[in-house]
Amino acid sequence: MDKPRLDHIALAVPSLEEARRAYELLGFACGDVGEFPSENKREVYGEMRPVRVLLQQPLSDQGPIARHLSRRGAGVHHLGVVVPDLAAYLDGIAGSGWF
Protein backbone atom coordinates (compact mmCIF):
# COMPACT_ATOMS: atom_id res chain seq x y z
CA MET A 1 0.00 0.00 0.00
CA ASP A 2 1.50 3.29 -1.02
CA LYS A 3 -1.49 5.62 -0.54
CA PRO A 4 -3.80 6.27 2.41
CA ARG A 5 -7.20 4.63 2.09
CA LEU A 6 -10.46 5.18 3.89
CA ASP A 7 -11.23 2.13 6.04
CA HIS A 8 -14.53 3.18 7.62
CA ILE A 9 -16.86 6.00 8.58
CA ALA A 10 -17.81 5.82 12.26
CA LEU A 11 -21.24 7.07 13.27
CA ALA A 12 -22.45 7.81 16.79
CA VAL A 13 -26.01 6.53 17.20
CA PRO A 14 -28.44 6.54 20.12
CA SER A 15 -29.75 3.03 19.30
CA LEU A 16 -27.51 0.41 17.72
CA GLU A 17 -30.46 -1.85 16.93
CA GLU A 18 -32.42 0.87 15.10
CA ALA A 19 -29.37 2.06 13.16
CA ARG A 20 -28.42 -1.50 12.26
CA ARG A 21 -31.91 -2.22 10.91
CA ALA A 22 -31.83 0.98 8.83
CA TYR A 23 -28.43 0.19 7.34
CA GLU A 24 -29.42 -3.40 6.59
CA LEU A 25 -32.48 -2.08 4.73
CA LEU A 26 -30.08 0.01 2.63
CA GLY A 27 -28.18 -3.18 1.72
CA PHE A 28 -25.35 -3.15 4.27
CA ALA A 29 -24.26 -6.53 5.64
CA CYS A 30 -23.70 -6.10 9.38
CA GLY A 31 -21.46 -8.26 11.52
CA ASP A 32 -21.71 -9.18 15.17
CA VAL A 33 -22.19 -6.54 17.84
CA GLY A 34 -19.14 -5.97 20.01
CA GLU A 35 -19.36 -4.55 23.52
CA PHE A 36 -16.43 -2.64 24.97
CA PRO A 37 -17.15 -1.63 28.59
CA SER A 38 -13.68 -0.08 29.02
CA GLU A 39 -14.54 2.31 26.16
CA ASN A 40 -18.18 2.59 27.24
CA LYS A 41 -19.58 1.55 23.87
CA ARG A 42 -21.23 -1.10 21.75
CA GLU A 43 -20.49 -1.22 18.05
CA VAL A 44 -21.10 -3.08 14.83
CA TYR A 45 -19.56 -2.79 11.37
CA GLY A 46 -21.77 -2.68 8.30
CA GLU A 47 -20.37 -3.18 4.82
CA MET A 48 -21.61 -2.55 1.30
CA ARG A 49 -18.44 -2.63 -0.77
CA PRO A 50 -16.49 -0.44 -1.02
CA VAL A 51 -18.10 1.36 1.94
CA ARG A 52 -17.80 0.32 5.58
CA VAL A 53 -19.61 2.05 8.42
CA LEU A 54 -19.01 1.59 12.13
CA LEU A 55 -22.14 2.19 14.18
CA GLN A 56 -21.32 3.11 17.80
CA GLN A 57 -23.70 3.43 20.74
CA PRO A 58 -22.67 4.50 24.25
CA LEU A 59 -23.34 2.13 27.15
CA SER A 60 -24.09 5.07 29.48
CA ASP A 61 -23.99 8.86 29.51
CA GLN A 62 -20.19 8.87 29.89
CA GLY A 63 -17.36 8.62 27.35
CA PRO A 64 -16.60 9.98 23.88
CA ILE A 65 -19.63 8.54 22.06
CA ALA A 66 -22.05 9.79 24.72
CA ARG A 67 -20.40 13.24 24.65
CA HIS A 68 -20.68 13.33 20.87
CA LEU A 69 -24.39 12.50 21.00
CA SER A 70 -25.10 15.11 23.69
CA ARG A 71 -23.15 17.86 21.89
CA ARG A 72 -23.78 17.12 18.23
CA GLY A 73 -26.48 14.46 18.02
CA ALA A 74 -26.25 11.35 15.88
CA GLY A 75 -23.80 11.47 13.00
CA VAL A 76 -20.19 11.18 11.92
CA HIS A 77 -17.86 10.59 14.86
CA HIS A 78 -14.62 9.87 13.00
CA LEU A 79 -13.05 8.54 9.82
CA GLY A 80 -10.81 5.50 9.99
CA VAL A 81 -7.88 5.82 7.58
CA VAL A 82 -5.21 3.20 6.87
CA VAL A 83 -1.85 4.77 6.01
CA PRO A 84 1.50 3.27 4.97
CA ASP A 85 3.56 5.62 7.20
CA LEU A 86 1.75 7.26 10.11
CA ALA A 87 4.45 9.82 10.94
CA ALA A 88 4.67 10.98 7.32
CA TYR A 89 0.88 11.13 7.02
CA LEU A 90 0.55 13.24 10.18
CA ASP A 91 3.31 15.58 8.95
CA GLY A 92 1.49 15.90 5.64
CA ILE A 93 -1.84 16.91 7.16
CA ALA A 94 -0.37 19.21 9.84
CA GLY A 95 -1.91 22.65 9.55
CA SER A 96 -4.64 21.45 7.18
CA GLY A 97 -7.42 21.55 9.79
CA TRP A 98 -7.76 17.75 9.78
CA PHE A 99 -5.36 17.18 12.67
Side-chain angles (χ1 to χ4, degrees):
M1 171 186 26
D2 58 329
K3 291 184 179 181
R5 84 173 160 77
L6 180 64
D7 181 70
H8 65 271
I9 301 167
L11 305 171
V13 299
S15 168
L16 199 57
E17 287 73 20
E18 288 180 27
R20 180 184 182 141
R21 279 193 297 276
Y23 275 83
E24 287 175 338
L25 285 173
L26 291 172
F28 282 79
C30 293
D32 295 329
V33 173
E35 192 162 307
F36 304 92
S38 65
E39 298 176 35
N40 194 43
K41 68 179 178 177
R42 299 171 63 221
E43 65 183 33
V44 65
Y45 279 95
E47 186 169 354
M48 184 168 54
R49 290 202 173 262
V51 177
R52 248 178 24 140
V53 295
L54 174 59
L55 305 172
Q56 300 180 300
Q57 173 192 336
L59 293 171
S60 73
D61 62 354
Q62 302 296 311
I65 306 303
R67 280 192 303 277
H68 178 96
L69 287 171
S70 69
R71 293 177 183 166
R72 297 180 187 93
V76 175
H77 181 261
H78 69 267
L79 302 176
V81 179
V82 177
V83 298
D85 180 340
L86 181 58
Y89 184 75
L90 293 176
D91 285 344
I93 64 170
S96 69
W98 280 99
F99 182 64

